[in-house]
Amino acid sequence: MEFREAKNKFVQTWGALGSQWGINKTMAQIHALLMISHEPLSMEDIMEELQISRGNASMNLRALMDWGIVYKEFKQGERREFFTAEKDLDELAVKIAQERSKREIKPALKVLKEVSTGVKDDKSAEAKHFTDQTEKLYDFVLKADNMLEKATEYKDNWLAGLVMKLMR
């Protein structure tokens, strides 16, 4: 397989995987392109490589920077901005786990806590069952989130490293 073909296949596949993980395809493709690039790319380079508009590139680069997995780099004498992705895969996994917890797990925990404690006045069997199940679910999700937090806090710890490897 030619390099260009392999590169394109990787970017396209990463984009398809990204859409299955809950991010848009273009965002994942930009991330893939930056992750495998040996030097920072300008927005124009990204637009040309992926055949996307400036607005699309800009919006997705901003989102990737918000996730903490893409960074701006400045080159002396250049007016254009350049971008690079986190290359350390362990650090990438930690940042994604932390961001998903913040964006998805924490809000779900808040709702589970609210609904499991908000039905105390109703003494029906159905309400009791609902409360029991949502409390159990809250406890489970909280434990999972705490475990994830501990694993990402102590990524240099050998045990946490082992847990992170097992999770991959």
Side-chain angles (χ1 to χ4, degrees):
M1 183 180 294
E2 300 271 336
F3 166 69
R4 188 105 181 116
E5 182 184 353
K7 179 180 169 183
N8 187 47
K9 188 172 187 170
F10 172 76
V11 169
Q12 295 304 317
T13 302
W14 198 257
L17 286 172
S19 63
Q20 292 175 6
W21 296 332
I23 63 170
N24 79 58
K25 180 179 174 182
T26 304
M27 185 175 169
Q29 288 176 328
I30 291 171
H31 179 252
L33 184 63
L34 292 172
M35 192 169 54
I36 61 170
S37 179
H38 71 285
E39 60 185 36
L41 299 176
S42 69
M43 187 178 311
E44 290 76 15
D45 297 332
I46 295 165
M47 290 166 43
E48 182 180 326
E49 182 78 29
L50 298 177
Q51 295 295 297
I52 59 174
S53 69
R54 179 173 301 281
N56 197 0
S58 177
M59 178 181 66
N60 284 295
L61 282 165
R62 196 173 320 114
L64 287 163
M65 288 187 293
D66 289 346
W67 277 73
I69 58 175
V70 166
Y71 315 102
K72 273 186 192 178
E73 284 198 13
F74 297 97
K75 290 185 178 181
Q76 192 159 356
E78 284 280 350
R79 290 174 41 154
R80 296 181 298 168
E81 295 175 329
F82 290 83
F83 303 89
T84 190
E86 178 62 59
K87 305 287 187 187
D88 181 332
L89 297 181
D90 289 334
E91 187 65 27
L92 178 65
V94 165
K95 287 182 177 187
I96 289 172
Q98 288 171 334
E99 194 64 26
R100 291 204 76 156
S101 173
K102 182 175 86 179
R103 291 174 185 239
E104 299 166 22
I105 297 172
K106 300 272 192 270
L109 281 170
K110 182 180 177 189
V111 170
L112 285 168
K113 186 69 169 174
E114 183 182 327
V115 299
S116 67
T117 59
V119 188
K120 298 296 181 190
D121 295 340
D122 191 335
K123 303 294 184 201
S124 70
E126 187 178 16
K128 172 135 177 53
H129 178 74
F130 173 83
T131 300
D132 290 345
Q133 288 303 107
T134 54
E135 282 175 355
K136 288 177 192 174
L137 188 54
Y138 173 83
D139 290 341
F140 175 79
V141 174
L142 183 62
K143 285 176 190 170
D145 190 45
N146 287 339
M147 189 174 87
L148 186 60
E149 260 182 37
K150 295 296 181 214
T152 57
E153 282 175 13
Y154 302 109
K155 71 179 182 77
D156 295 328
N157 175 313
W158 71 270
L159 180 60
L162 179 63
V163 169
M164 290 298 284
K165 284 182 184 175
L166 290 173
M167 290 174 61
R168 285 188 216 146

